[in-house]
Amino acid sequence: MSGKNFDDVIKRKLAKLEEIRQERKQLEVLKSARDAEKAKEKYIKKIKSFVDFDKICEETLRLTPQIENPTVSSSKKKENENIQILKDNVETPKRDISEKLSKLTVFHTEITDIQPRDILTSTKSTQTKNSNACLQRLEGGFKSKLPPGCMSPGLPKVEFVLPAITRLESIIEERKAVTELTEEEKLAFISNTNFQNALKRIGSVVENVVANNRDITKDYTRPNTSIDDADDVSCSGVLLNVMFECELTTNRCITDMDWSPFVADRIVASYHSNVNEPLAPEGMTLVWNASFGKTYPEYIMHSSSAVMSICFDNFDPNIIIGGTYSGQIVMWDTRSPKSIPIQTTKLNSGAHVQPIRSLNINSHNIYSISSDGRFCTWNMDMLSKPIDVFTLGTKQKRPIAATCMTFTDIEYNDFLVGGEDGCVYKANRFDANAGIKAKYEQHDCPISGISMSHSSASEFNHLFLTSSIDSTIKLWSLHSENPLHTIYNNFDYVMDISWCPTNPALFGTVNESGHIDLWNINMDSEEPIVSTIVDGQPALNRFSWMPNAKHIAVGDLDGRLYLYEADNRLTQPVHNENSALIETLDMLRQKSLIRD
């Protein structure tokens, strides 16, 4: 379209708009004229009604009859004269009322609203919410009708004024006025899962106090001064305190145990699958309490695969980590209303594909090792993929079939691994050449347990113990590839071993014939100082000390968990325990040199 054509179109459009505006103006003028005509007609009708009324009045006055009585007195005549005068006045020519009304016009007046002036008054009293009401009561006491602001004669009426109420006091008063809940509200409150979990936790604490008959006013943090410091530590050994067993654990082998670092009496145990019940969950983890005195667990947790290793989190008392037969890492939370894990690693995460034999938590990382020798590092906050993965292998590049693992106290990144070939491997997890650093080979059968010394003395933190199915127990030093001492256990399979956390010379073992043996190297390096046989002589496979060495937990192949109380004189070291252990180690080194 050219420019001229576009201008013509615009002009036509504008002209058409102007015509429409003119038509609208004409219509508005016609409408206003019609409205004026209608108002005028209405106004004329009103005027005509007024004129008709005046005519009716005049006719009425003219038709009034005049009665003449000859006997009327002079006074009556005067009245008649006055009436005649009035008639004359009425008949006088007057201006038409329409002329009067025609001069009337309509005026629009502006209405002005003047607000009354507020008279403000003030007093020296404290201004509160009730000050205005109090002022009104005081002003009402004056029985005068003077304008506001003017003082009334006489004394005012004195009334009591309530003190000021703060916001906190008002909230407290509102909380005191508690309304009773209805039956439906009570039922909804009781059926809430958060309320049930909180009640369960509080009930467990109260049950713990009642079961132990503890004195809440006593300071249990002070050391026990009743320990006998004499050289003679003869004692009664260990006594069975309670046996944990229920229908859930029947025919389930205990695979691992761990004590809670937060609740001293709480222990978790992992169980293998029950072949007699194919519909039951494959894996099971139960949390028991040693002080309750009841044979039913506090918490029951399940998994889709058998749980091979278990441990508590070092920073959260409610988190439990497990390693399964399928190679997955699972995480439970005791606060969760469900018994299934809250987190689970994936099978295709590039980590474990065989059973996880051991777990260890250090800082916020999880370290796991499986039967194929694969070592993985996980982050607690993200289990979807491991941080680091490498395989422990021999010089022939064959993977190590790991059975157990423990970290050393000398080097943060060093750890020991026991294998099915009877060897112990020292490895490093954080190095340019991460992998095997040293090898200790002396056992003839797979290693069943390994334990590092928990002594705070630096002279003993290089010692570790191993147990094997070859019925031997060996004492090692990280500084030597040969064992310091070997103990033969009468041809019974030694299934597990653990060093006492309080006494550097004491450790315990269990074997397949139902024996619980406690050894003290300072007292006897060949025979246990305490040996207890469990009733029925079940095959024991797990041994664990309580962190304060007050109790010993033992598990068997039938799913029973035994809790024994250890004598305090046995687990607490005497004043010369460390020096005696140093002498014993020197003597054992000399014997090993002579034997070699």
Side-chain angles (χ1 to χ4, degrees), residues 542-562:
R542 283 293 174 261
F543 182 97
S544 179
W545 291 92
M546 184 182 280
N548 57 6
K550 182 180 177 181
H551 291 91
I552 298 171
V554 178
D556 65 6
L557 297 177
D558 295 329
R560 289 184 290 267
L561 179 62
Y562 304 90

Side-chain angles (χ1 to χ4, degrees), residues 184-319:
E184 295 180 356
E185 292 175 345
K186 291 178 181 178
L187 183 60
F189 187 79
I190 294 173
S191 59
N192 190 359
T193 55
N194 294 330
F195 171 76
Q196 292 178 357
N197 294 334
L199 185 63
K200 186 177 181 180
R201 290 194 298 269
I202 296 171
S204 63
V205 174
V206 175
E207 187 176 7
N208 189 3
V209 175
V210 174
N212 289 275
N213 195 18
R214 294 180 178 177
D215 185 6
I216 60 175
T217 61
K218 183 179 178 180
D219 187 6
Y220 288 95
T221 60
R222 294 183 179 180
N224 190 358
T225 58
S226 62
I227 299 175
D228 187 8
D229 292 338
D231 293 338
D232 184 12
V233 293
S234 60
C235 57
S236 59
V238 293
L239 297 174
L240 179 62
N241 190 359
V242 65
M243 181 181 67
F244 297 118
E245 182 187 14
C246 62
E247 58 183 6
L248 299 174
T249 63
T250 305
N251 297 326
R252 289 180 180 269
C253 170
I254 293 181
T255 56
D256 199 6
M257 297 182 298
D258 188 38
W259 292 90
S260 173
F262 297 94
V263 183
D265 297 331
R266 183 174 291 175
I267 184 173
V268 60
S270 59
Y271 297 82
H272 208 276
S273 60
N274 186 358
V275 295
N276 297 330
E277 295 183 6
L279 299 179
E282 286 286 332
M284 183 176 293
T285 301
L286 303 180
V287 179
W288 305 89
N289 199 303
S291 61
F292 279 8
K294 66 178 184 180
T295 59
Y296 200 79
E298 279 190 272
Y299 302 101
I300 302 173
M301 293 161 285
H302 302 117
S303 67
S304 58
S305 180
V307 184
M308 304 300 295
S309 54
I310 199 73
C311 62
F312 277 101
D313 185 11
N314 294 330
F315 298 96
D316 193 337
N318 302 297
I319 300 298

